[in-house]
Amino acid sequence: MELLIETLHIYHTNDLHSHFDQWPKITKYITDMRQLHSNQKEEMLLIDIGDHMDRFHPISEADYGKTNIQLLNRLDYDYVTIGNNEGITLSYDQLDSLYDEANFKVVLGNFFDRNGNQPSWAIPFDIHTLPSGVKIGIIGLTVHYISLYKLLGWNVTDPFKELKKLVDQLSDKTDILMLLSHLGINEDEKIAQQFPEVDIILGGHTHHLLDNGKLIKNTLLCGAGKYGNYIGHVKLQIDTEKRKIHSRKANVIQTNELAESNRTKDELDILYKNSINALNRDIIAELDDDLLIDWHKESSFSTLLARALKEWCGGEISMVNAGVLLDSLPKGIVTRGDLHRVCPHPINPCKVMVRGDHLKEIIIQAYTEQMENLEIKGLGFRGKLMGKMIYDGVQIKSTILSDGLKHVADIKINHEDIDPGRLYSVATIDMFTFGMLFPEIRDAKDKKYYMPELLRDVLAIALKKGSL
């Protein structure tokens, strides 16, 4: 007996991070494939797995991600879930209105508003019915940065607990289950082990690239890297009589080898110019003197930032690396566009309680040439290198030893000897609380994040107050 097969093509993107240079190629390819599959009487879905938006880019900064939604609309996306760049780099109201004009469905099963309700712009799952009647359950989950979301007024819950509820709810209503996961590859692998009911996981967050997918038990894991360098593709052939997957194949398409849409490229050029103009119309302050930055020594701009950070967080001292400031500001008018250009990172201020002996180790580590010249990727940082650590409230004396390098000889905190057993409140930036840069800060138990203000917002407030 001949099988009755229905073919579904699923194209997926993730972690674009507003790297729009590949978007004209993605646009043309998806448009061409949609036409091809239509001609062949095959079904197609287009899905984004989050972090499409990143406020490092002027287009996303100017209207807080609304243009990203319009770009998704123009390409006729069917489903998206959110990533942390949509979720925790916007204020509550900005995120709550981000998807007002969306023509696609936002699928998000572990995310709730300040009243504990599903936000009006999202659904926990959807059931997509193919022409054959085969039903695909589509669930979305995002990374559970519980404390950060709580500061913004949102409630994000354990994705595994929510997935269990949703799988139970959908198991007798659907034939195929697909998860849109902005959780990262480690979590995706755990889900594949624990939830054999999930047939496909389209993943993001950790920027993993799975060229031909990865099969764990019954679950096909997929990931398309980052920055639009790849488009993910899954081809499903479905036995419509048995209402189950007959075969599945995953691959990725490298975008730099594709032709681009000139129309989309021209539209992006216009959007970029309009966004720059909008940012530059928003005047922050007027400087009487240049604010200079040097990544390898103290300068007027970096000391201003350290002072502003200390005041904003109410710390006894502050520490911030000079590399977060990408350029100087000349005297005269300073606009929102200027501050975005010199400080584009989605980085928030924070305050950390650090014991004196640990603080000493941090200062010594930060003083090394190796740390000063460290090239940083991720953790919200959108610059080039760490640069010199700049303090307010810390006095350091150094000496040159036999190795010819400068070493810390003495540290004082507000002109007093550092007390090894005492806790000090350190105003700093949230990227130091993640990753491996400073384990003593990362592992500190008492941290307070200040949100939704980004580092450039703290600078704007200081400049408006005339804290020079």
Side-chain angles (χ1 to χ4, degrees):
M1 182 177 176
E2 186 177 350
L3 291 175
L4 295 176
I5 296 295
E6 183 174 35
T7 300
L8 171 64
H9 295 272
I10 303 165
Y11 292 93
H12 56 101
T13 55
N14 62 275
D15 298 282
L16 184 79
H17 286 278
S18 294
H19 283 256
F20 297 120
D21 48 314
Q22 301 287 19
W23 193 249
K25 296 180 179 182
I26 294 172
T27 298
K28 178 169 173 49
Y29 182 81
I30 292 298
T31 302
D32 290 347
M33 290 301 101
R34 182 175 280 113
Q35 185 62 56
L36 174 66
H37 298 319
S38 176
N39 292 342
Q40 295 175 340
K41 309 297 184 189
E42 296 176 340
E43 294 299 303
M44 173 179 155
L45 288 175
L46 180 58
I47 299 171
D48 187 77
I49 318 299
D51 277 1
H52 188 279
M53 183 206 80
D54 192 312
R55 288 180 58 185
F56 95 93
H57 198 289
I59 287 177
S60 299
E61 175 71 1
D63 63 2
Y64 303 105
K66 291 288 184 74
T67 297
N68 291 72
I69 305 309
Q70 296 306 315
L71 293 174
L72 292 167
N73 281 342
R74 290 176 195 174
L75 202 45
D76 292 326
Y77 272 74
D78 297 288
Y79 297 98
V80 310
T81 196
I82 75 165
N84 43 290
N85 271 270
E86 289 89 7
I88 61 173
T89 70
L90 298 173
S91 71
Y92 185 97
D93 290 338
Q94 287 164 353
L95 177 56
D96 204 32
S97 63
L98 178 62
Y99 298 99
D100 283 351
E101 304 299 323
N103 296 333
F104 47 81
K105 294 178 180 179
V106 181
V107 189
L108 192 55
N110 65 324
F111 196 82
F112 303 90
D113 67 17
R114 54 168 59 109
N115 299 314
N117 301 316
Q118 188 87 38
S120 60
W121 43 268
I123 53 177
F125 66 87
D126 192 49
I127 298 176
H128 182 82
T129 305
L130 296 173
S132 65
V134 169
K135 297 182 184 298
I136 302 176
I138 300 174
I139 299 168
L141 297 171
T142 197
V143 62
H144 54 305
Y145 290 153
I146 298 171
S147 59
L148 299 180
Y149 275 116
K150 187 174 289 188
L151 287 170
L152 291 166
W154 298 105
N155 295 295
V156 64
T157 53
D158 186 318
F160 285 79
K161 291 181 179 178
E162 298 298 342
L163 183 58
K164 177 67 167 65
K165 295 177 190 175
L166 293 168
V167 166
D168 290 346
Q169 188 175 348
L170 290 171
S171 60
D172 61 349
K173 298 176 182 176
T174 59
D175 306 300
I176 298 168
L177 273 182
M178 181 164 62
L179 173 62
L180 318 185
S181 166
H182 197 87
L183 300 176
I185 184 62
N186 291 336
E187 304 297 276
D188 291 353
E189 290 178 347
K190 291 177 185 176
I191 288 170
Q193 293 284 354
Q194 297 177 26
F195 294 90
E197 304 92 338
V198 177
D199 297 286
I200 302 164
I201 300 176
L202 305 181
H205 183 53
T206 46
H207 303 175
H208 50 283
L209 179 67
L210 301 175
D211 291 338
N212 299 113
K214 181 178 182 179
L215 191 63
I216 297 180
K217 291 189 174 181
N218 184 57
T219 306
L220 178 64
L221 278 63
C222 306
K226 62 180 180 179
Y227 302 164
N229 293 326
Y230 296 88
I231 303 165
H233 173 232
V234 180
K235 181 180 180 180
L236 292 184
Q237 291 193 305
I238 301 164
D239 183 334
T240 58
E241 185 176 354
K242 294 183 178 179
R243 303 176 75 88
K244 67 178 186 179
I245 296 172
H246 174 68
S247 68
R248 51 190 166 179
K249 182 180 180 182
N251 67 293
V252 295
I253 299 96
Q254 194 166 344
T255 53
N256 64 8
E257 298 176 352
L258 302 176
E260 66 181 8
S261 164
N262 290 326
R263 179 178 177 181
T264 301
K265 188 174 184 299
D266 291 343
E267 287 175 347
L268 285 168
D269 288 342
I270 293 170
L271 287 169
Y272 179 79
K273 291 174 184 176
N274 290 343
S275 298
I276 292 292
N277 289 337
L279 291 169
N280 286 338
R281 284 194 297 269
D282 191 348
I283 295 175
I284 301 298
E286 185 170 3
L287 300 179
D288 294 329
D289 298 295
D290 296 340
L291 275 177
L292 301 175
I293 185 63
D294 188 316
W295 291 343
H296 299 288
K297 64 181 181 181
E298 288 190 13
S299 59
S300 56
F301 202 178
S302 60
T303 54
L304 165 67
L305 176 56
R307 190 161 63 248
L309 195 59
K310 179 182 171 184
E311 181 179 339
W312 182 259
C313 298
E316 294 174 85
I317 67 168
S318 64
M319 58 177 285
V320 60
N321 57 307
V324 299
L325 297 172
L326 306 189
D327 201 358
S328 302
L329 288 177
K331 68 178 181 179
I333 297 295
V334 176
T335 68
R336 186 174 155 218
D338 292 322
L339 291 184
H340 181 264
R341 175 176 54 82
V342 302
C343 192
H345 331 276
I347 288 176
N348 300 98
C350 68
K351 183 166 62 179
V352 184
M353 300 303 295
V354 181
R355 208 172 65 198
D357 55 347
H358 291 166
L359 181 57
K360 180 180 178 179
E361 292 302 315
I362 292 165
I363 293 170
I364 291 171
Q365 179 188 355
Y367 200 81
T368 63
E369 288 188 12
Q370 180 183 6
M371 182 62 76
E372 187 175 310
N373 293 309
L374 181 67
E375 295 183 4
I376 309 173
K377 294 182 180 179
L379 306 176
F381 188 71
R382 303 296 186 254
K384 295 182 179 179
L385 54 81
M386 173 74 80
K388 184 178 179 62
M389 194 64 69
I390 309 299
Y391 303 92
D392 192 302
V394 178
Q395 297 79 44
I396 300 173
K397 288 184 179 179
S398 63
T399 186
I400 298 177
L401 298 182
S402 58
D403 59 7
L405 300 176
K406 280 187 176 182
H407 294 265
V408 174
D410 183 63
I411 301 170
K412 293 194 181 321
I413 305 298
N414 293 314
H415 303 287
E416 295 183 357
D417 291 335
I418 193 166
D419 183 342
R422 185 191 153 194
L423 284 176
Y424 292 90
S425 60
V426 182
T428 187
I429 55 180
D430 65 5
M431 76 178 231
F432 293 158
T433 69
F434 310 122
M436 299 298 295
L437 290 173
F438 298 106
E440 295 90 348
I441 294 178
R442 180 198 62 201
D443 298 336
K445 294 181 180 179
D446 190 350
K447 305 184 187 77
K448 181 178 181 181
Y449 296 92
Y450 295 82
M451 303 175 76
E453 295 83 9
L454 301 178
L455 205 55
R456 56 183 172 272
D457 297 318
V458 175
L459 276 173
I461 291 165
L463 291 174
K464 287 178 179 178
K465 290 170 61 178
S467 301
L468 303 178

